[in-house]
């Protein structure tokens, strides 16, 4: 169908389209600075995780930095522990750019 023009004919199982949020922009002379922290705990794998995001802008120039960490033990089921399912994950991301009225330039 027409989606194969965008995603190719091999995308039979579907496509995940990741659209990033635009970088912040300060509409006034005041700078923008904000952040958020997300904490989670998944009981089946005794897996704590944390994500920290900070972003800001001065005029049309904006930036964003984020980091995520997760540690998981082996999966526990009613039938017992599933071996070799433990993992550790870390991820970091930095983006900066300029947001105009009709055009954006972003480096990630």
């Amino acid at each position: 169908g027409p989606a194969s023009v965008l995603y190719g004919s091999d995308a039979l199982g579907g496509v995940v389209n990741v659209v990033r949020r635009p970088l912040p922009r300060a509409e006034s002379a005041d700078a923008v600075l904000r952040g958020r922290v997300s904490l989670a705990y998944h009981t089946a794998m005794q897996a704590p995780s944390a994500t920290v995001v900070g972003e800001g802008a001065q005029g049309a120039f904006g930036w964003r930095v984020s980091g995520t960490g997760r540690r998981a033990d082996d999966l526990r089921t009613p039938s017992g522990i599933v071996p070799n399912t433990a993992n550790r994950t870390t991820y970091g991301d930095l983006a900066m750019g300029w947001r105009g009225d009709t055009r954006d330039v972003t480096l990630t």
Side-chain angles (χ1 to χ4, degrees), residues 21-48:
R21 264 186 355 180
L23 292 173
R25 178 179 171 164
E27 299 297 335
S28 67
D30 297 331
V32 172
L33 183 61
R34 60 184 171 227
R36 66 182 177 276
V37 175
S38 174
L39 303 172
Y41 186 81
H42 307 278
T43 58
M45 296 181 78
Q46 297 183 354

Side-chain angles (χ1 to χ4, degrees), residues 24-86:
R25 178 179 171 164
E27 299 297 335
S28 67
D30 297 331
V32 172
L33 183 61
R34 60 184 171 227
R36 66 182 177 276
V37 175
S38 174
L39 303 172
Y41 186 81
H42 307 278
T43 58
M45 296 181 78
Q46 297 183 354
S49 65
T51 299
V52 178
V53 178
E55 62 184 11
Q58 180 70 45
F61 177 78
W63 59 270
R64 179 179 301 121
V65 63
S66 67
T68 298
R70 179 179 301 136
R71 180 194 52 80
D73 290 338
D74 286 332
L75 178 63
R76 299 169 188 272
T77 69
S79 300
I81 295 175
V82 180
N84 298 321
T85 55

Side-chain angles (χ1 to χ4, degrees), residues 82-107:
V82 180
N84 298 321
T85 55
N87 65 73
R88 295 188 191 284
T89 303
T90 55
Y91 171 78
D93 188 60
L94 172 65
M96 61 182 70
W98 176 85
R99 286 188 58 201
D101 293 330
T102 59
R103 304 262 193 268
D104 298 346
V105 177
T106 303
L107 176 66

